[in-house]
Amino acid sequence: MSFYDLYEIEAESLAGAKAILERLLMCSFEERESTYHGGTYYTFGDEAGEHFMLKENRDPFEDVPAEDSFPNSKLLLYVNETMRSNELHDALAESGDAITLLRHEDL
């Protein structure tokens, strides 16, 4: 069963959030650019399997939050198609209050 988790990251910048995540998850995010995702964003993993996306909570076309259920969340981490949701949650909990689980779904 795959899980899809959404986290809020409290950091001064997208690059700052990237540094926090790379330290906690021991991975290297790749910078990408896309109008669809609101400009610069970061990814890690294989889109055919487990993959992460770090981006600003902004819909560039309508100037509203991309995740309208969480309008006060500035930076978001999407954890997609993971089989290790609990393990990742525990690793991210090492940040203290800087990273908060917003949504957990099993699809």
Side-chain angles (χ1 to χ4, degrees):
M1 176 181 307
S2 293
F3 295 95
Y4 294 79
D5 295 334
L6 174 64
Y7 290 89
E8 171 186 25
I9 314 292
E10 290 194 24
E12 291 186 26
S13 66
L14 194 60
K18 173 187 172 280
I20 292 168
L21 292 171
E22 287 180 334
R23 180 178 50 81
L24 293 172
L25 300 175
M26 294 183 274
C27 67
S28 295
F29 280 80
E30 179 182 319
E31 183 175 321
R32 299 219 176 144
E33 183 75 27
S34 168
T35 304
Y36 180 78
H37 290 296
T40 300
Y41 69 103
Y42 296 96
T43 64
F44 173 77
D46 178 4
E47 289 192 20
E50 180 184 82
H51 60 283
F52 309 148
M53 181 172 51
L54 172 64
K55 64 181 246 175
E56 292 183 19
N57 186 18
R58 177 170 57 93
D59 180 327
F61 302 107
E62 299 186 24
D63 198 29
V64 296
E67 291 287 342
D68 57 2
S69 296
F70 307 104
N72 296 323
S73 299
K74 181 181 170 190
L75 304 173
L76 301 172
L77 171 66
Y78 293 86
V79 177
N80 300 312
E81 295 190 40
T82 187
M83 301 290 280
R84 53 190 189 120
S85 180
N86 290 335
E87 177 186 331
L88 293 170
H89 184 267
D90 290 347
L92 294 172
E94 294 291 321
S95 72
D97 295 334
I99 302 175
T100 305
L101 179 64
L102 299 174
R103 183 173 61 223
H104 173 79
E105 299 176 309
D106 55 339
L107 302 175

